[in-house]
Amino acid sequence: MDFWATVLGALPVLVGWRWHAVVQRNRWRRLETALEDLAGEGLARDSQALPAGDGELGTVKTQIERLVWLRAAMQQRIEHEEFSLRTVLSNMEEGVLVADERLIIRLVNPAFCEIFGVRGDCVGSSVLEVLGEPEIYRLMQSAMREGGALQRQVEMFPGKRVKQVSLHAVPMTDVKGRPGVLSVFRDVTRLQELENVRREFVANVSHELRTPLAIFQGYLENLLEMPELPEAERVEILGVLRKHSLRLNALVEDLLALARLEARREEFQWEVMDLGRCVEALLRDWRVRTQSGEVELKLESGADLPPVRMDPLRIEQVLHNLLENALKHIPSKGGSIVVCVKSEAGGVLVSVEDNGPGISPVDLPHIFERFYRADKSRVRAQGVASTGLGLSIVKHIVGHHGGEVGASSPLGRGARVWFRLPSADLQAASGAVSGERR
């Protein structure tokens, strides 16, 4: 009896202990699951996933909840910083490349791929393999080895889309302290071309100014040293001085006009006009110039030309420059200039065609550049000096009208230079006129 009484008395205790053990085990399992979730990819943000408890278990729950909150905040901050970094890298004009100590690519931005024409994912490949530029590879190695920032301008191998790049390489370390290098690339091909144009422009201006000034100086010294020169020689010298003074004045005027056009400081007086009538009126004056020689000047004008919004004085300047250009390169006897005006592509096309020797294919793409002369292939039959700025001024004036220019020439069979202006309706719809001052 005592035995069974003891058993029956202990049974509730055993059952209670068993129930308590099961509850505690379930709590610890939930805690273990929550910790595994926290340690893995999950965030365990829901505090209801954690077991309720008091005492030590309650303290552990509180600390885990705090850890969950800290991890969620950290994860949010990391996502925000990653988004900011991606945004910055994606919108940079400079190309960015991060490589490890073996110069294996770990990160690039879209601008890098655009600059170097990289297709596909290049992460994990060697810098030398992707770029094929030993100079860039060597500079990145030097920056990492010497432990200091390095900046160079590198000329790319021939055949590349980019010809010149500026490289700024900085050594760095990753989160584990391993060395690497951060490189920033900038395409400076266009800047280098503009710098070359500037230098060439200064050299050309210096040359063009030096020649007439040297002639002035020489002849003036003759006049000063020999005041008793015969009248005929003195008149001849003064004629030469006058000729070169006109050339110098023309050069200065063209330079000033071109500078104002490029700076968009030139005032334009806009009118809606019939371009065909404007060309016809101008050619009446030009026929007076060509009547003394054996030069034929013809006009071919189409019907129903759309009206054009233009500055008549500027367009007359364009036509004068084109006619002057043609007149310089046709034979003094048997020369022919044909001016054609017709409606084309929503505007009016004006072309000036001559029967001179033509322009070589090498020169043709450059004739609208400042100081470019194709005299190697075109004969100065009229003996008229050129400033080399006329066609460049033509291009700028037509550009201010929202138009375009071009040229063609079968070598040996003359040259055709043309410009096209949009119709007044098309200009109003597209806002093509860029030179208007309000």
Side-chain angles (χ1 to χ4, degrees):
M1 291 293 294
D2 292 338
F3 170 76
W4 290 107
T6 301
V7 171
L8 291 174
L11 185 60
V13 177
L14 291 172
V15 171
W17 178 84
R18 179 61 180 172
W19 177 82
H20 179 74
V22 170
V23 170
Q24 290 296 101
R25 185 167 62 250
N26 289 337
R27 287 178 178 174
W28 284 107
R29 283 178 179 173
R30 290 174 63 188
L31 180 62
E32 182 181 3
T33 301
L35 290 173
E36 289 176 352
D37 190 30
L38 184 64
E41 295 182 357
L43 297 178
R45 293 178 180 174
D46 188 3
S47 61
Q48 299 299 321
L50 295 172
D54 50 12
E56 293 181 357
L57 188 58
T59 302
V60 172
K61 176 186 176 182
T62 301
Q63 294 300 321
I64 291 178
E65 287 178 341
R66 182 171 178 273
L67 185 60
V68 167
W69 181 86
L70 289 173
R71 172 168 177 170
M74 185 178 296
Q75 185 70 21
Q76 186 176 12
R77 181 178 177 183
I78 291 173
E79 290 175 355
H80 174 73
E81 290 182 352
E82 286 182 349
F83 175 77
S84 300
L85 179 61
R86 286 196 301 270
T87 302
V88 171
L89 290 176
S90 298
N91 291 280
M92 287 180 64
E93 293 184 359
E94 295 81 5
V96 176
L97 179 149
V98 177
D100 62 19
E101 58 184 331
R102 296 180 298 147
L103 292 186
I104 301 298
I105 298 175
R106 296 306 176 196
L107 172 71
V108 295
N109 69 337
F112 172 85
C113 299
E114 177 66 22
I115 289 173
F116 293 101
V118 176
R119 298 289 180 265
D121 187 10
C122 62
V123 174
S125 302
S126 167
V127 171
L128 185 59
E129 176 187 348
V130 172
L131 298 183
E133 294 287 340
E135 179 68 9
I136 292 178
Y137 187 85
R138 185 187 64 78
L139 291 171
M140 292 176 66
Q141 274 187 327
S142 298
M144 191 164 46
R145 183 173 57 250
E146 296 171 7
L150 185 148
Q151 189 165 359
R152 294 285 190 280
Q153 185 164 312
V154 180
E155 183 174 358
M156 305 292 284
F157 278 174
K160 299 289 183 69
R161 185 183 67 85
V162 176
K163 297 178 181 178
Q164 299 274 345
V165 294
S166 172
L167 165 64
H168 186 80
V170 181
M172 56 172 288
T173 56
D174 63 14
V175 292
K176 295 183 179 180
R178 294 173 298 193
V181 60
L182 167 66
S183 300
V184 179
F185 299 88
R186 186 176 182 85
D187 181 3
V188 294
T189 303
R190 180 58 179 163
L191 292 176
Q192 190 65 40
E193 290 174 351
L194 291 174
E195 177 62 17
N196 292 338
V197 168
R198 185 193 66 79
R199 290 175 181 171
E200 184 177 350
F201 177 74
V202 172
N204 284 328
V205 170
S206 301
H207 173 74
E208 294 294 336
L209 292 175
R210 187 183 300 115
T211 302
L213 289 175
I215 294 173
F216 266 89
Q217 183 179 354
Y219 278 111
L220 287 174
E221 287 176 355
N222 286 341
L223 290 175
L224 290 173
E225 293 173 1
M226 294 180 288
E228 298 179 357
L229 275 174
E231 182 71 18
E233 291 186 25
R234 203 162 47 245
V235 170
E236 182 181 355
I237 289 175
L238 292 174
V240 173
L241 292 176
R242 182 177 182 275
K243 172 185 174 182
H244 286 283
S245 68
L246 292 174
R247 178 187 176 190
L248 192 60
N249 184 70
L251 175 62
V252 172
E253 288 294 331
D254 282 351
L255 282 171
L256 291 174
L258 189 59
R260 288 194 298 266
L261 287 168
E262 290 182 341
R264 297 185 179 274
R265 294 176 181 170
E266 198 70 282
E267 294 288 342
F268 283 74
Q269 304 298 324
W270 301 101
E271 297 181 33
V272 176
M273 300 181 63
D274 184 335
L275 183 54
R277 291 184 180 179
C278 180
V279 174
E280 186 177 355
L282 179 70
L283 289 187
R284 281 197 295 267
D285 298 334
W286 265 80
R287 285 194 175 95
V288 176
R289 293 183 57 179
T290 57
Q291 281 176 355
S292 58
E294 298 183 15
V295 175
E296 182 183 16
L297 182 60
K298 293 174 57 178
L299 172 64
E300 297 177 357
S301 182
D304 300 325
L305 298 175
V308 173
R309 189 165 182 263
M310 66 182 194
D311 182 332
L313 292 179
R314 298 299 175 191
I315 295 303
E316 284 184 10
Q317 185 180 3
V318 167
L319 290 166
H320 275 299
N321 284 353
L322 294 182
L323 290 168
E324 288 279 5
N325 184 68
L327 189 62
K328 292 168 189 171
H329 301 102
I330 60 175
S332 56
K333 294 184 179 181
S336 171
I337 300 175
V338 179
V339 180
C340 179
V341 185
K342 63 180 181 178
S343 177
E344 182 179 292
V348 179
L349 178 75
V350 180
S351 64
V352 177
E353 186 172 356
D354 63 61
N355 66 340
I359 308 171
S360 75
V362 175
D363 295 318
L364 196 59
H366 306 286
I367 64 171
F368 292 99
E369 297 175 6
R370 293 175 294 187
F371 290 111
Y372 193 90
R373 297 193 186 95
D375 292 336
K376 300 183 293 294
S377 59
R378 305 195 71 185
V379 182
R380 291 190 183 188
Q382 304 297 330
V384 182
S386 168
T387 65
L389 297 173
L391 291 182
S392 183
I393 291 174
V394 166
K395 181 179 179 181
H396 278 82
I397 292 176
V398 173
H400 276 259
H401 284 73
E404 56 183 337
V405 297
S408 59
S409 175
L411 188 59
R413 290 188 292 160
R416 177 176 176 267
V417 184
W418 56 266
F419 69 93
R420 182 188 295 112
L421 299 183
S423 65
D425 293 339
L426 190 61
Q427 283 179 329
S430 63
V433 176
S434 61
E436 183 173 5
R437 295 302 182 96
R438 300 184 182 276

